[in-house]
Amino acid sequence: MLEDKLCIRISQKYSCILYNHKDGPEFLTLSPSNISYTLDENQRLNDITCSATCSPVQCTYEWRESGRGAVSSSGVLSLGTLVRGEAGTYTCTASNPGSAATTSSQQIAILVRCKFLHS
């Protein structure tokens, strides 16, 4: 556990107070950093990784699709081979379990071009 000392000068004496220092999430990044993907149906979308810095514990993550809810409880959005129902807007939220603070990524747009069979 990370501890910091806060020292206060009162009447020529110093009092030190120990407190738990909880920071973050900070520095949220997406890899790759694209905010828009356009792929054909049945084409594979490479994984998108969300990461941030939290202390003293590691961040937790959740990927959500607008209108559908949570799609991943890890830092990785892994849709694999796309179907038309996966087209949408996705957001990653990083949380610090120690402080309950959160931060979210910009929205990621995934467009899926439909393939039609000709008879």
Side-chain angles (χ1 to χ4, degrees):
M1 181 179 305
L2 180 65
E3 295 180 337
D4 287 335
K5 292 181 183 176
L6 174 64
C7 296
I8 304 168
R9 184 178 176 187
I10 303 172
S11 300
Q12 302 302 324
K13 293 183 182 179
Y14 286 90
S15 295
C16 291
I17 304 165
L18 281 175
Y19 65 94
N20 290 331
H21 187 69
K22 298 178 176 93
D23 281 329
E26 296 179 322
F27 313 113
L28 188 138
T29 59
L30 297 175
S31 179
S33 60
N34 302 3
I35 60 167
S36 181
Y37 296 84
T38 301
L39 297 162
D40 292 330
E41 190 172 23
N42 298 321
Q43 193 173 4
R44 177 170 172 65
L45 174 68
N46 292 329
D47 291 350
I48 303 170
T49 302
C50 177
S51 61
T53 303
C54 291
S55 73
V57 296
Q58 292 186 351
C59 296
T60 59
Y61 302 93
E62 182 178 70
W63 279 95
R64 297 183 73 79
E65 181 190 354
S66 179
R68 193 168 125 203
V71 293
S72 173
S73 60
S74 77
V76 179
L77 179 63
S78 184
L79 298 178
T81 303
L82 294 174
V83 295
R84 62 187 75 179
E86 292 172 313
T89 305
Y90 294 79
T91 305
C92 175
T93 299
S95 302
N96 183 335
S99 68
T102 63
T103 191
S104 295
S105 69
Q106 11 181 47
Q107 292 183 332
I108 306 299
I110 298 177
L111 305 172
V112 180
R113 291 186 294 239
C114 300
K115 291 188 176 183
F116 296 100
L117 299 175
H118 298 283
S119 50

